[in-house]
Structures are given as C-alpha cells and as structure tokens.
Amino acid sequence: MTNMSFTDKVILITGASSGIGATTAIYLSKQSAKLVLVGRKEGHLKKIALYCEKANGIKPLPITADLTEDAEVQKVVQETIDHFGRLDVLINNAGVIEMGGIKKSNMEMYDKVMGTNMRAVYQLTMLATPHLIESKGNIVNVSCVWSTKPSTMALAYNISKAALDQFTKCVALELAPDGVRVNAVNPGFVKTNLYNDTGLTEEQVDLFMKNVTSQTPLKKMIEAVEVSALIAYLASDNAKSITGGCFPIDNGRLLQ
Ligand SMILES: NC(=O)c1ccc[n+]([C@@H]2O[C@H](COP(=O)([O-])OP(=O)(O)OC[C@H]3O[C@@H](n4cnc5c(N)ncnc54)[C@H](OP(=O)(O)O)[C@@H]3O)[C@@H](O)[C@H]2O)c1
C-alpha cells in the first residue's frame, strides 16, 4: 500500500519548465519515473531535465511546445509515444493567470487564459486518452482553490479552473469503466513565476502573498513540493480507489 515508485511508468508533465511543474518533475524523478517535460522555454526545460537525470539516471524527454497551438499538442503526444512507446500518467499542470474582474477585462485576456488552462487541457487529454486506456493509467489536473471560491481578482482564471474541476469529474466518470482514474489538486497561493507576467511588481506579489497567507486558518505559506507530493500520491497505485476528486491544498482557506 505504500509503494510510491514509478519504475517503468511514463509520466507527461505540462508546464515542467517552472514552479509546481518543475518541482513535480524533480519529485517524480526521485521515484524512478520516465518523464516527458513540456513547456515553451527550451532552456528552462533542459535545465530541469538535467536535474531529473541526475536523480535517477533516466534521460527525460523535453518537448518545447506552445499548448495553445493544436499542432503542437498533437506533436507532444506523438513524440511521447515515438520515444517511450507508452503513457501512464498525464499531469495537466501548465497554466496562466491574468488579473482583473469584469470591470477590468478584455477578450484577449479571456482567450489566453481559457486557451491555456482549459482548451489545451481538453485537447491534450483527448489525444492522450487511447494511450491511458491501454496502460490503465491516470490523469492529475492542477486546478486552484479559486475554482469554487469566488474572488474579484482574476475572473477568467477562476472560471477556467471551475471548468477544469467539472472536466475532471466528467472525464473521471467516462473513463472509470476503462480503468483510468482522473483527479485534480486545488492549491492555494504558492510562490512561483505565475504572477510574473501579470503587471504586478515583485513587491506587490510579496504583499499579496503576505495578505493571502495571513488570511488562511493555518497562517503559513504552501511550498510547491507539498503540491508535488499530493500529485504523486494521486498518480500512484496508493490512490487506486480515488477518482473524480478535487483535492484542496490550501492551508484551510476553503473553510472560510
Ligand atoms: N502558484 C500558485 O499560487 C498556484 C495556485 C493554484 C494553482 N496553480 C496552478 O499551478 C499550475 C502551475 O503554475 P505555477 O504556479 O507553477 O506557475 P509558473 O511557475 O508560471 O509555471 C507555469 C508553467 O506553465 C507553462 N505554460 C504556460 N503557458 C503555456 C503554454 N501556452 N504552452 C506550454 N506551457 C505553458 C510555463 O512554461 P513556459 O513558460 O516554458 O511556457 C510554466 O512551466 C497552473 O495551472 C496554475 O494555475 C498555481
């Protein structure tokens, strides 16, 4: 029951070039996984691939791809199968945020956020499904605490994650007869590069982080590696009876 080894398992992680995805790649490499690392920044991907290889001696497959482009998503699945011949776990982690509610919004923001956080996940999951059915594998989606908790700060982002939760549950129900599990993790605030392109300064992000942290019942930060550990648990055989779940890791924020 405590086997967390991923020996001979092929795990595809999107957004592996930074933050939660990069930390998860390194975490899973320490448990012997064969990794496919996807992101747009080739240099960052190669750096993470090196860390992973050092941990387990297995060369990950880095794939530079913009997941908002249909052809690039197709390339990701094709190259994974060409290289490793199978797929056991899909971790849909890549995501972007745009700050602003309905009064400070535009359709470019909406399209970028929904295109990355939901449309790309839909297409990649669709193309990966036959391979996951073959391996009796599983999917872990990286959602957010704001998928269910209303907030005024990032409307497009919040609704993209609400959609992702429902996607998780519907696909879990559909693929259960095929022996494929589908779950989501819903983190609260984790300090990563997510807020870099939002127009917020480093100081504003730090202040935001301090405020959010002080508002949580446990009054502390969440480290990316804690999210990685939850993802790894859900992806492992220890979670063989768990499907369709959306699991908060939020310092108790949803209690309020
Ligand atoms: N940090 C938080 O507080 C927090 C809280 C809850 C949920 N989350 C979720 O956690 C996930 C990871 O975010 P993070 O915090 O680790 O942020 P991050 O450090 O900014 O990482 C985001 C990742 O997504 C990739 N990505 C973005 N757009 C992409 C595209 N079009 N094609 C391919 N890859 C793309 C980025 O890679 P490239 O730049 O190389 O393309 C990067 O690796 C996201 O889904 C986010 O919504 C984060």
Side-chain angles (χ1 to χ4, degrees), residues 159-190:
I159 62 177
S160 74
K161 296 299 188 182
L164 185 58
D165 283 3
Q166 177 69 328
F167 177 79
T168 301
K169 292 174 195 177
C170 292
V171 179
L173 189 60
E174 183 183 344
L175 297 185
D178 298 297
V180 175
R181 299 182 298 106
V182 188
N183 290 292
V185 297
N186 299 62
F189 188 87
V190 183

PDB file of all heavy atoms in Angstrom, residues 159-190:
ATOM      1  N   ILE A 159     -12.787  31.101 -13.587  1.00  0.00           N
ATOM      2  CA  ILE A 159     -13.771  30.276 -14.312  1.00  0.00           C
ATOM      3  C   ILE A 159     -13.078  29.180 -15.136  1.00  0.00           C
ATOM      4  O   ILE A 159     -13.641  28.112 -15.327  1.00  0.00           O
ATOM      5  CB  ILE A 159     -14.743  31.121 -15.173  1.00  0.00           C
ATOM      6  CG1 ILE A 159     -14.022  31.909 -16.248  1.00  0.00           C
ATOM      7  CG2 ILE A 159     -15.589  32.046 -14.300  1.00  0.00           C
ATOM      8  CD1 ILE A 159     -14.974  32.691 -17.163  1.00  0.00           C
ATOM      9  N   SER A 160     -11.821  29.437 -15.542  1.00  0.00           N
ATOM     10  CA  SER A 160     -11.095  28.368 -16.254  1.00  0.00           C
ATOM     11  C   SER A 160     -10.863  27.185 -15.316  1.00  0.00           C
ATOM     12  O   SER A 160     -10.938  26.023 -15.722  1.00  0.00           O
ATOM     13  CB  SER A 160      -9.762  28.883 -16.812  1.00  0.00           C
ATOM     14  OG  SER A 160      -8.794  29.065 -15.779  1.00  0.00           O
ATOM     15  N   LYS A 161     -10.609  27.480 -14.035  1.00  0.00           N
ATOM     16  CA  LYS A 161     -10.349  26.406 -13.074  1.00  0.00           C
ATOM     17  C   LYS A 161     -11.665  25.733 -12.626  1.00  0.00           C
ATOM     18  O   LYS A 161     -11.676  24.539 -12.319  1.00  0.00           O
ATOM     19  CB  LYS A 161      -9.581  26.949 -11.869  1.00  0.00           C
ATOM     20  CG  LYS A 161      -8.178  27.472 -12.220  1.00  0.00           C
ATOM     21  CD  LYS A 161      -7.273  26.402 -12.813  1.00  0.00           C
ATOM     22  CE  LYS A 161      -5.832  26.860 -12.970  1.00  0.00           C
ATOM     23  NZ  LYS A 161      -4.950  25.858 -13.571  1.00  0.00           N
ATOM     24  N   ALA A 162     -12.759  26.502 -12.603  1.00  0.00           N
ATOM     25  CA  ALA A 162     -14.064  25.879 -12.322  1.00  0.00           C
ATOM     26  C   ALA A 162     -14.393  24.884 -13.428  1.00  0.00           C
ATOM     27  O   ALA A 162     -14.859  23.764 -13.169  1.00  0.00           O
ATOM     28  CB  ALA A 162     -15.147  26.954 -12.227  1.00  0.00           C
ATOM     29  N   ALA A 163     -14.113  25.279 -14.665  1.00  0.00           N
ATOM     30  CA  ALA A 163     -14.336  24.378 -15.804  1.00  0.00           C
ATOM     31  C   ALA A 163     -13.445  23.139 -15.682  1.00  0.00           C
ATOM     32  O   ALA A 163     -13.876  22.015 -15.968  1.00  0.00           O
ATOM     33  CB  ALA A 163     -14.055  25.116 -17.113  1.00  0.00           C
ATOM     34  N   LEU A 164     -12.218  23.356 -15.233  1.00  0.00           N
ATOM     35  CA  LEU A 164     -11.274  22.229 -15.108  1.00  0.00           C
ATOM     36  C   LEU A 164     -11.760  21.217 -14.060  1.00  0.00           C
ATOM     37  O   LEU A 164     -11.612  19.999 -14.256  1.00  0.00           O
ATOM     38  CB  LEU A 164      -9.884  22.772 -14.745  1.00  0.00           C
ATOM     39  CG  LEU A 164      -8.744  21.770 -14.685  1.00  0.00           C
ATOM     40  CD1 LEU A 164      -8.563  21.033 -16.016  1.00  0.00           C
ATOM     41  CD2 LEU A 164      -7.424  22.468 -14.310  1.00  0.00           C
ATOM     42  N   ASP A 165     -12.343  21.690 -12.983  1.00  0.00           N
ATOM     43  CA  ASP A 165     -12.886  20.767 -11.967  1.00  0.00           C
ATOM     44  C   ASP A 165     -14.007  19.916 -12.566  1.00  0.00           C
ATOM     45  O   ASP A 165     -14.058  18.695 -12.363  1.00  0.00           O
ATOM     46  CB  ASP A 165     -13.472  21.546 -10.772  1.00  0.00           C
ATOM     47  CG  ASP A 165     -12.397  22.081  -9.831  1.00  0.00           C
ATOM     48  OD1 ASP A 165     -11.201  21.914 -10.117  1.00  0.00           O
ATOM     49  OD2 ASP A 165     -12.775  22.676  -8.801  1.00  0.00           O
ATOM     50  N   GLN A 166     -14.915  20.557 -13.298  1.00  0.00           N
ATOM     51  CA  GLN A 166     -16.024  19.819 -13.896  1.00  0.00           C
ATOM     52  C   GLN A 166     -15.508  18.858 -14.975  1.00  0.00           C
ATOM     53  O   GLN A 166     -15.980  17.729 -15.080  1.00  0.00           O
ATOM     54  CB  GLN A 166     -17.061  20.808 -14.478  1.00  0.00           C
ATOM     55  CG  GLN A 166     -18.237  20.161 -15.186  1.00  0.00           C
ATOM     56  CD  GLN A 166     -19.188  19.413 -14.243  1.00  0.00           C
ATOM     57  OE1 GLN A 166     -18.794  18.860 -13.220  1.00  0.00           O
ATOM     58  NE2 GLN A 166     -20.454  19.359 -14.624  1.00  0.00           N
ATOM     59  N   PHE A 167     -14.506  19.306 -15.741  1.00  0.00           N
ATOM     60  CA  PHE A 167     -13.852  18.445 -16.735  1.00  0.00           C
ATOM     61  C   PHE A 167     -13.292  17.199 -16.031  1.00  0.00           C
ATOM     62  O   PHE A 167     -13.466  16.067 -16.493  1.00  0.00           O
ATOM     63  CB  PHE A 167     -12.728  19.250 -17.403  1.00  0.00           C
ATOM     64  CG  PHE A 167     -11.907  18.494 -18.404  1.00  0.00           C
ATOM     65  CD1 PHE A 167     -12.383  18.266 -19.694  1.00  0.00           C
ATOM     66  CD2 PHE A 167     -10.638  18.021 -18.082  1.00  0.00           C
ATOM     67  CE1 PHE A 167     -11.611  17.580 -20.627  1.00  0.00           C
ATOM     68  CE2 PHE A 167      -9.869  17.335 -19.006  1.00  0.00           C
ATOM     69  CZ  PHE A 167     -10.355  17.118 -20.281  1.00  0.00           C
ATOM     70  N   THR A 168     -12.637  17.415 -14.896  1.00  0.00           N
ATOM     71  CA  THR A 168     -12.040  16.317 -14.116  1.00  0.00           C
ATOM     72  C   THR A 168     -13.103  15.279 -13.752  1.00  0.00           C
ATOM     73  O   THR A 168     -12.906  14.066 -13.939  1.00  0.00           O
ATOM     74  CB  THR A 168     -11.399  16.886 -12.827  1.00  0.00           C
ATOM     75  OG1 THR A 168     -10.403  17.847 -13.189  1.00  0.00           O
ATOM     76  CG2 THR A 168     -10.785  15.800 -11.967  1.00  0.00           C
ATOM     77  N   LYS A 169     -14.237  15.779 -13.250  1.00  0.00           N
ATOM     78  CA  LYS A 169     -15.282  14.863 -12.781  1.00  0.00           C
ATOM     79  C   LYS A 169     -15.958  14.132 -13.948  1.00  0.00           C
ATOM     80  O   LYS A 169     -16.213  12.923 -13.868  1.00  0.00           O
ATOM     81  CB  LYS A 169     -16.321  15.637 -11.970  1.00  0.00           C
ATOM     82  CG  LYS A 169     -15.747  16.138 -10.648  1.00  0.00           C
ATOM     83  CD  LYS A 169     -16.719  17.028  -9.919  1.00  0.00           C
ATOM     84  CE  LYS A 169     -15.993  17.781  -8.815  1.00  0.00           C
ATOM     85  NZ  LYS A 169     -16.842  18.716  -8.110  1.00  0.00           N
ATOM     86  N   CYS A 170     -16.258  14.844 -15.026  1.00  0.00           N
ATOM     87  CA  CYS A 170     -16.934  14.217 -16.182  1.00  0.00           C
ATOM     88  C   CYS A 170     -16.035  13.164 -16.830  1.00  0.00           C
ATOM     89  O   CYS A 170     -16.492  12.068 -17.163  1.00  0.00           O
ATOM     90  CB  CYS A 170     -17.310  15.272 -17.229  1.00  0.00           C
ATOM     91  SG  CYS A 170     -18.592  16.412 -16.683  1.00  0.00           S
ATOM     92  N   VAL A 171     -14.749  13.500 -16.997  1.00  0.00           N
ATOM     93  CA  VAL A 171     -13.843  12.549 -17.650  1.00  0.00           C
ATOM     94  C   VAL A 171     -13.584  11.354 -16.718  1.00  0.00           C
ATOM     95  O   VAL A 171     -13.460  10.209 -17.175  1.00  0.00           O
ATOM     96  CB  VAL A 171     -12.537  13.247 -18.110  1.00  0.00           C
ATOM     97  CG1 VAL A 171     -11.588  12.253 -18.770  1.00  0.00           C
ATOM     98  CG2 VAL A 171     -12.848  14.384 -19.080  1.00  0.00           C
ATOM     99  N   ALA A 172     -13.548  11.616 -15.421  1.00  0.00           N
ATOM    100  CA  ALA A 172     -13.384  10.513 -14.454  1.00  0.00           C
ATOM    101  C   ALA A 172     -14.533   9.518 -14.582  1.00  0.00           C
ATOM    102  O   ALA A 172     -14.327   8.296 -14.585  1.00  0.00           O
ATOM    103  CB  ALA A 172     -13.325  11.066 -13.035  1.00  0.00           C
ATOM    104  N   LEU A 173     -15.743  10.054 -14.699  1.00  0.00           N
ATOM    105  CA  LEU A 173     -16.924   9.190 -14.821  1.00  0.00           C
ATOM    106  C   LEU A 173     -16.877   8.396 -16.128  1.00  0.00           C
ATOM    107  O   LEU A 173     -17.129   7.195 -16.159  1.00  0.00           O
ATOM    108  CB  LEU A 173     -18.183  10.076 -14.779  1.00  0.00           C
ATOM    109  CG  LEU A 173     -19.530   9.376 -14.689  1.00  0.00           C
ATOM    110  CD1 LEU A 173     -19.631   8.523 -13.421  1.00  0.00           C
ATOM    111  CD2 LEU A 173     -20.657  10.419 -14.704  1.00  0.00           C
ATOM    112  N   GLU A 174     -16.505   9.090 -17.205  1.00  0.00           N
ATOM    113  CA  GLU A 174     -16.481   8.441 -18.518  1.00  0.00           C
ATOM    114  C   GLU A 174     -15.410   7.345 -18.606  1.00  0.00           C
ATOM    115  O   GLU A 174     -15.642   6.291 -19.193  1.00  0.00           O
ATOM    116  CB  GLU A 174     -16.240   9.498 -19.612  1.00  0.00           C
ATOM    117  CG  GLU A 174     -16.275   8.908 -21.017  1.00  0.00           C
ATOM    118  CD  GLU A 174     -15.976   9.939 -22.105  1.00  0.00           C
ATOM    119  OE1 GLU A 174     -16.045  11.165 -21.831  1.00  0.00           O
ATOM    120  OE2 GLU A 174     -15.664   9.501 -23.234  1.00  0.00           O
ATOM    121  N   LEU A 175     -14.246   7.610 -18.006  1.00  0.00           N
ATOM    122  CA  LEU A 175     -13.132   6.668 -18.178  1.00  0.00           C
ATOM    123  C   LEU A 175     -13.031   5.606 -17.078  1.00  0.00           C
ATOM    124  O   LEU A 175     -12.198   4.708 -17.171  1.00  0.00           O
ATOM    125  CB  LEU A 175     -11.805   7.434 -18.279  1.00  0.00           C
ATOM    126  CG  LEU A 175     -11.668   8.384 -19.487  1.00  0.00           C
ATOM    127  CD1 LEU A 175     -10.266   8.978 -19.547  1.00  0.00           C
ATOM    128  CD2 LEU A 175     -11.982   7.668 -20.805  1.00  0.00           C
ATOM    129  N   ALA A 176     -13.887   5.715 -16.069  1.00  0.00           N
ATOM    130  CA  ALA A 176     -13.841   4.710 -14.988  1.00  0.00           C
ATOM    131  C   ALA A 176     -14.003   3.280 -15.527  1.00  0.00           C
ATOM    132  O   ALA A 176     -13.254   2.376 -15.120  1.00  0.00           O
ATOM    133  CB  ALA A 176     -14.888   5.036 -13.929  1.00  0.00           C
ATOM    134  N   PRO A 177     -14.958   3.022 -16.443  1.00  0.00           N
ATOM    135  CA  PRO A 177     -15.085   1.649 -16.956  1.00  0.00           C
ATOM    136  C   PRO A 177     -13.836   1.171 -17.702  1.00  0.00           C
ATOM    137  O   PRO A 177     -13.643  -0.027 -17.885  1.00  0.00           O
ATOM    138  CB  PRO A 177     -16.276   1.744 -17.932  1.00  0.00           C
ATOM    139  CG  PRO A 177     -17.002   2.995 -17.551  1.00  0.00           C
ATOM    140  CD  PRO A 177     -15.977   3.931 -17.019  1.00  0.00           C
ATOM    141  N   ASP A 178     -12.990   2.119 -18.144  1.00  0.00           N
ATOM    142  CA  ASP A 178     -11.749   1.745 -18.833  1.00  0.00           C
ATOM    143  C   ASP A 178     -10.590   1.571 -17.853  1.00  0.00           C
ATOM    144  O   ASP A 178      -9.449   1.330 -18.272  1.00  0.00           O
ATOM    145  CB  ASP A 178     -11.372   2.844 -19.844  1.00  0.00           C
ATOM    146  CG  ASP A 178     -12.430   3.011 -20.923  1.00  0.00           C
ATOM    147  OD1 ASP A 178     -12.645   2.046 -21.673  1.00  0.00           O
ATOM    148  OD2 ASP A 178     -13.053   4.090 -20.993  1.00  0.00           O
ATOM    149  N   GLY A 179     -10.864   1.776 -16.567  1.00  0.00           N
ATOM    150  CA  GLY A 179      -9.805   1.614 -15.568  1.00  0.00           C
ATOM    151  C   GLY A 179      -8.856   2.798 -15.501  1.00  0.00           C
ATOM    152  O   GLY A 179      -7.734   2.678 -15.003  1.00  0.00           O
ATOM    153  N   VAL A 180      -9.307   3.948 -16.010  1.00  0.00           N
ATOM    154  CA  VAL A 180      -8.463   5.156 -15.964  1.00  0.00           C
ATOM    155  C   VAL A 180      -9.027   6.120 -14.920  1.00  0.00           C
ATOM    156  O   VAL A 180     -10.205   6.475 -14.962  1.00  0.00           O
ATOM    157  CB  VAL A 180      -8.428   5.858 -17.351  1.00  0.00           C
ATOM    158  CG1 VAL A 180      -7.659   7.176 -17.278  1.00  0.00           C
ATOM    159  CG2 VAL A 180      -7.804   4.929 -18.398  1.00  0.00           C
ATOM    160  N   ARG A 181      -8.193   6.529 -13.971  1.00  0.00           N
ATOM    161  CA  ARG A 181      -8.623   7.464 -12.924  1.00  0.00           C
ATOM    162  C   ARG A 181      -8.282   8.901 -13.318  1.00  0.00           C
ATOM    163  O   ARG A 181      -7.295   9.128 -14.025  1.00  0.00           O
ATOM    164  CB  ARG A 181      -7.935   7.131 -11.600  1.00  0.00           C
ATOM    165  CG  ARG A 181      -8.238   5.746 -11.063  1.00  0.00           C
ATOM    166  CD  ARG A 181      -7.567   5.488  -9.711  1.00  0.00           C
ATOM    167  NE  ARG A 181      -6.119   5.552  -9.754  1.00  0.00           N
ATOM    168  CZ  ARG A 181      -5.397   6.543  -9.271  1.00  0.00           C
ATOM    169  NH1 ARG A 181      -5.984   7.577  -8.677  1.00  0.00           N
ATOM    170  NH2 ARG A 181      -4.073   6.520  -9.349  1.00  0.00           N
ATOM    171  N   VAL A 182      -9.096   9.853 -12.853  1.00  0.00           N
ATOM    172  CA  VAL A 182      -8.857  11.273 -13.149  1.00  0.00           C
ATOM    173  C   VAL A 182      -9.126  12.082 -11.878  1.00  0.00           C
ATOM    174  O   VAL A 182     -10.221  11.984 -11.306  1.00  0.00           O
ATOM    175  CB  VAL A 182      -9.779  11.793 -14.282  1.00  0.00           C
ATOM    176  CG1 VAL A 182      -9.367  13.199 -14.700  1.00  0.00           C
ATOM    177  CG2 VAL A 182      -9.779  10.853 -15.483  1.00  0.00           C
ATOM    178  N   ASN A 183      -8.146  12.857 -11.442  1.00  0.00           N
ATOM    179  CA  ASN A 183      -8.300  13.675 -10.234  1.00  0.00           C
ATOM    180  C   ASN A 183      -7.708  15.063 -10.449  1.00  0.00           C
ATOM    181  O   ASN A 183      -7.008  15.297 -11.443  1.00  0.00           O
ATOM    182  CB  ASN A 183      -7.597  12.994  -9.054  1.00  0.00           C
ATOM    183  CG  ASN A 183      -8.322  11.741  -8.606  1.00  0.00           C
ATOM    184  OD1 ASN A 183      -9.434  11.814  -8.076  1.00  0.00           O
ATOM    185  ND2 ASN A 183      -7.722  10.572  -8.859  1.00  0.00           N
ATOM    186  N   ALA A 184      -7.991  15.957  -9.507  1.00  0.00           N
ATOM    187  CA  ALA A 184      -7.406  17.301  -9.554  1.00  0.00           C
ATOM    188  C   ALA A 184      -6.864  17.673  -8.186  1.00  0.00           C
ATOM    189  O   ALA A 184      -7.365  17.198  -7.161  1.00  0.00           O
ATOM    190  CB  ALA A 184      -8.457  18.318  -9.991  1.00  0.00           C
ATOM    191  N   VAL A 185      -5.849  18.535  -8.186  1.00  0.00           N
ATOM    192  CA  VAL A 185      -5.397  19.172  -6.944  1.00  0.00           C
ATOM    193  C   VAL A 185      -5.754  20.651  -7.049  1.00  0.00           C
ATOM    194  O   VAL A 185      -5.733  21.231  -8.134  1.00  0.00           O
ATOM    195  CB  VAL A 185      -3.872  19.000  -6.706  1.00  0.00           C
ATOM    196  CG1 VAL A 185      -3.531  17.532  -6.535  1.00  0.00           C
ATOM    197  CG2 VAL A 185      -3.045  19.620  -7.819  1.00  0.00           C
ATOM    198  N   ASN A 186      -6.134  21.249  -5.911  1.00  0.00           N
ATOM    199  CA  ASN A 186      -6.594  22.640  -5.903  1.00  0.00           C
ATOM    200  C   ASN A 186      -5.779  23.451  -4.894  1.00  0.00           C
ATOM    201  O   ASN A 186      -6.217  23.676  -3.752  1.00  0.00           O
ATOM    202  CB  ASN A 186      -8.085  22.680  -5.551  1.00  0.00           C
ATOM    203  CG  ASN A 186      -8.944  21.932  -6.565  1.00  0.00           C
ATOM    204  OD1 ASN A 186      -8.803  20.721  -6.746  1.00  0.00           O
ATOM    205  ND2 ASN A 186      -9.806  22.647  -7.243  1.00  0.00           N
ATOM    206  N   PRO A 187      -4.596  23.905  -5.316  1.00  0.00           N
ATOM    207  CA  PRO A 187      -3.747  24.630  -4.365  1.00  0.00           C
ATOM    208  C   PRO A 187      -4.233  26.042  -4.084  1.00  0.00           C
ATOM    209  O   PRO A 187      -4.867  26.682  -4.925  1.00  0.00           O
ATOM    210  CB  PRO A 187      -2.384  24.701  -5.079  1.00  0.00           C
ATOM    211  CG  PRO A 187      -2.477  23.811  -6.267  1.00  0.00           C
ATOM    212  CD  PRO A 187      -3.930  23.709  -6.612  1.00  0.00           C
ATOM    213  N   GLY A 188      -3.898  26.523  -2.875  1.00  0.00           N
ATOM    214  CA  GLY A 188      -3.966  27.946  -2.573  1.00  0.00           C
ATOM    215  C   GLY A 188      -2.695  28.584  -3.093  1.00  0.00           C
ATOM    216  O   GLY A 188      -1.979  27.994  -3.913  1.00  0.00           O
ATOM    217  N   PHE A 189      -2.357  29.764  -2.588  1.00  0.00           N
ATOM    218  CA  PHE A 189      -1.216  30.517  -3.122  1.00  0.00           C
ATOM    219  C   PHE A 189       0.116  29.810  -2.868  1.00  0.00           C
ATOM    220  O   PHE A 189       0.435  29.445  -1.749  1.00  0.00           O
ATOM    221  CB  PHE A 189      -1.196  31.909  -2.496  1.00  0.00           C
ATOM    222  CG  PHE A 189      -0.185  32.812  -3.124  1.00  0.00           C
ATOM    223  CD1 PHE A 189      -0.513  33.561  -4.243  1.00  0.00           C
ATOM    224  CD2 PHE A 189       1.102  32.887  -2.623  1.00  0.00           C
ATOM    225  CE1 PHE A 189       0.437  34.374  -4.850  1.00  0.00           C
ATOM    226  CE2 PHE A 189       2.053  33.703  -3.219  1.00  0.00           C
ATOM    227  CZ  PHE A 189       1.715  34.449  -4.331  1.00  0.00           C
ATOM    228  N   VAL A 190       0.888  29.640  -3.956  1.00  0.00           N
ATOM    229  CA  VAL A 190       2.241  29.074  -3.884  1.00  0.00           C
ATOM    230  C   VAL A 190       3.154  30.062  -4.609  1.00  0.00           C
ATOM    231  O   VAL A 190       2.816  30.503  -5.714  1.00  0.00           O
ATOM    232  CB  VAL A 190       2.318  27.712  -4.628  1.00  0.00           C
ATOM    233  CG1 VAL A 190       3.701  27.096  -4.495  1.00  0.00           C
ATOM    234  CG2 VAL A 190       1.245  26.743  -4.127  1.00  0.00           C
TER     235      VAL A 190
END
